[in-house]
Amino acid sequence: MFGFLLVLSVLSLVDPVPPPVPCRQCCDDLEPAEGSGAQPVMGGFSRAPEIRTYINMTILKGDKGDRGDRGTPGKPGHEGPPGARGPAGSKGSKGQAGLPGDPCKVHDSAFSVGRRKSLHSLESYQALLFDTVFVNLDEHFDMFTGKFLCHIPGVYFFNVNIHTWNFKETYLHIMQNDTERAIVYAQPSDRSIMQSQSLMLQLELSDEVWVRLYKRERENAIYSDDVDVYITFNGYLIKASVEGRDADGSSDLTLDEKGIH
């Protein structure tokens, strides 16, 4: 009780402070003109403006974070048009020699054919055709054209035997492609004889060897019959070229190895 009286005695010693009186004008009691947009004064005091807090987020930007994991790759796009062909590159250097070939690999080529019909010269040259086969390894001799086709480059031996015709000249050539290599010749005689010619030729891939009867500029013929074979043509490979390399250093594959038959 004593404390309460002490507080009252202290408060009675402090002079009360009157509240502040706002400044007013003589027109403050007037209502604002209609349509002016001014706020009316309530109780002689205008309403305080509303204050809203605004935070600028740009000044609150933090540090750059760590890089995230790589996402899954997207679908491939459409394939573009092919580009133009580039310039040819420079020629490369010569490669190393290959390993030795199989010593057991052997190339063979041989034929022996005959003719049972006589043949007389015409206005043009004739290839001597044959109708009897004795040997024709891998069909290297073409019976339809009368020509041997070289499938294996190398050195070959060829031989042709013919029987002359009485009182007629015999005039033939052993041909390599379109070049005359050796002649088979006999002058007209009252008796027929056997004539023979042999030679060796260095052949390249696809070379042709055949026998050609001369044209009618000279009346010539060869004799044979259906009973005995008087005309024969033979050839065989003596030595194949160095495998895989020829004179100009290019490939020396056989026709069979190149898929040509």
Side-chain angles (χ1 to χ4, degrees):
M1 181 68 178
F2 174 78
F4 177 73
L5 294 176
L6 180 60
V7 173
L8 289 178
S9 62
V10 173
L11 292 177
S12 63
L13 294 178
V14 179
D15 293 334
V17 180
V21 178
C23 181
R24 299 186 60 192
Q25 296 181 3
C26 62
C27 59
D28 286 343
D29 293 334
L30 299 178
E31 293 292 330
E34 185 177 356
S36 64
Q39 298 295 328
V41 178
M42 298 181 62
F45 299 95
S46 60
R47 180 179 296 179
E50 183 180 358
I51 300 175
R52 295 185 180 180
T53 305
Y54 171 75
I55 301 176
N56 188 355
M57 298 301 294
T58 59
I59 65 175
L60 300 178
K61 183 177 180 180
D63 297 333
K64 184 177 180 179
D66 296 334
R67 183 167 183 165
D69 296 334
R70 184 179 182 134
T72 57
K75 296 181 179 179
H78 296 291
E79 183 177 356
R85 184 174 182 178
S90 58
K91 185 176 181 180
S93 58
K94 185 176 180 180
Q96 298 180 350
L99 297 175
D102 185 358
C104 297
K105 185 176 182 180
V106 178
H107 292 304
D108 292 312
S109 182
F111 73 92
S112 180
V113 293
R115 180 182 174 95
R116 296 177 182 272
K117 295 181 181 179
S118 301
L119 185 64
H120 292 264
S121 59
L122 300 174
E123 298 298 331
S124 58
Y125 293 111
Q126 297 181 74
L128 192 57
L129 301 181
F130 300 87
D131 50 32
T132 303
V133 177
F134 300 111
V135 174
N136 191 8
L137 295 183
D138 299 319
E139 306 295 326
H140 289 179
F141 187 89
D142 190 342
M143 296 295 290
F144 293 98
T145 63
K147 297 180 179 181
F148 168 76
L149 178 63
C150 177
H151 287 247
I152 307 171
V155 178
Y156 286 78
F157 174 84
F158 295 96
N159 166 263
V160 61
N161 298 283
I162 58 95
H163 193 282
T164 65
W165 195 292
N166 292 0
F167 304 107
K168 291 187 178 182
E169 188 177 40
T170 300
Y171 194 178
L172 302 97
H173 280 106
I174 298 177
M175 307 288 295
Q176 181 179 358
N177 300 321
D178 294 325
T179 303
E180 302 162 351
R181 292 302 189 189
I183 190 172
V184 184
Y185 181 76
Q187 293 180 333
S189 174
D190 58 355
R191 61 194 182 105
S192 59
I193 58 173
M194 292 293 297
Q195 289 283 85
S196 180
Q197 180 64 280
S198 302
L199 78 165
M200 288 188 293
L201 293 174
Q202 174 73 50
L203 300 184
E204 302 298 335
L205 201 64
S206 300
D207 276 354
E208 293 178 328
V209 180
W210 52 292
V211 180
R212 186 189 71 181
L213 183 65
Y214 205 78
K215 55 188 176 181
R216 186 167 283 175
E217 181 181 309
R218 297 168 181 243
E219 183 67 26
N220 66 92
I222 53 177
Y223 175 81
S224 190
D225 60 35
D226 295 335
V227 178
D228 297 314
V229 178
Y230 288 88
I231 303 168
T232 60
F233 183 32
N234 315 283
Y236 56 87
L237 175 65
I238 297 177
K239 179 177 175 57
S241 299
V242 177
E243 186 175 345
R245 194 180 303 276
D246 56 17
D248 60 2
S250 60
S251 175
D252 196 22
L253 297 175
T254 68
L255 284 181
D256 294 331
E257 290 169 337
K258 289 186 175 183
I260 302 174
H261 300 282

